Amino acid sequence: MLSSRPYLARGLYEWLLDNEQTPYIVVDAEQPGVSVPRQFVQNGQIVLNVGPTAVRDLQIENDAIYFGARFGGQPMQVVVPMPALVAIYAKENGVGMVFGHEPAMPMPQGEESTADAKPELSSIDSPERESEGSAPESGREGKTPSRKRPSLRVIK
């Protein structure tokens, strides 16, 4: 499966703009492939304003965030690989999301051994459903047999 981080980042960015907030991102500047102004990095991180008035040509792609900005009057092309994106939030009130470590999801590749088998979903019978085949009797204290409710179980 693909990482959910770029999809969440795009959604949160649009949501913040729709609510007239200024989107900021927190970047782990120590990650490989990060291109940010090093003079503003503190404790290995940098906070960047990515609002429409602060950047140009913002692209939030699945692999990275790209945009142009000026730092101390000097233009720079900023590149933030998705694993380096720590958080996106609103400057005005701090509302947003901090991204945790996302485990790598394996891509399907042909046949797998039983030790590496993917989980499957299946239906199971609930314990209260013991007499499935019995028909309701009229006048039997108004009780009707319980209906089978679907449920899911992960099989590894």
Side-chain angles (χ1 to χ4, degrees):
M1 289 184 72
L2 298 173
S3 170
S4 62
R5 190 173 303 203
Y7 300 93
L8 294 170
R10 281 190 289 269
L12 287 166
Y13 180 82
E14 290 296 324
W15 177 68
L16 291 171
L17 291 180
D18 287 350
N19 285 284
E20 299 176 359
Q21 302 295 298
T22 308
Y24 274 40
I25 59 172
V26 180
V27 178
D28 180 354
E30 305 300 319
Q31 291 279 331
V34 173
S35 178
V36 295
R38 295 289 167 187
Q39 67 268 29
F40 300 108
V41 173
Q42 294 180 346
N43 298 323
Q45 293 185 339
I46 186 169
V47 177
L48 300 169
N49 178 349
V50 291
T53 59
V55 301
R56 67 180 189 289
D57 302 326
L58 176 72
Q59 298 174 336
I60 304 176
E61 303 292 334
N62 286 351
D63 62 336
I65 298 173
Y66 306 94
F67 61 89
R70 290 187 164 281
F71 298 93
Q74 297 297 316
M76 179 177 187
Q77 186 64 30
V78 176
V79 179
V80 179
M82 275 303 157
L85 180 63
V86 175
I88 183 169
Y89 67 95
K91 170 191 171 189
E92 292 79 5
N93 57 18
V95 173
M97 177 180 279
V98 175
F99 299 100
H101 174 71
E102 190 170 37
M105 300 299 286
M107 298 300 284
Q109 299 176 4
E111 294 295 318
E112 296 177 327
S113 68
T114 55
D116 295 331
K118 294 181 182 180
E120 297 176 1
L121 296 176
S122 67
S123 177
I124 59 171
D125 292 331
S126 59
E128 72 266 2
R129 184 75 180 155
E130 293 177 13
S131 60
E132 185 176 339
S134 62
E137 296 177 17
S138 58
R140 189 176 170 197
E141 299 163 300
K143 290 186 179 181
T144 59
S146 63
R147 295 194 178 188
K148 184 176 179 180
R149 296 178 53 181
S151 60
L152 298 175
R153 174 176 63 176
V154 176
I155 300 173
K156 293 185 180 181

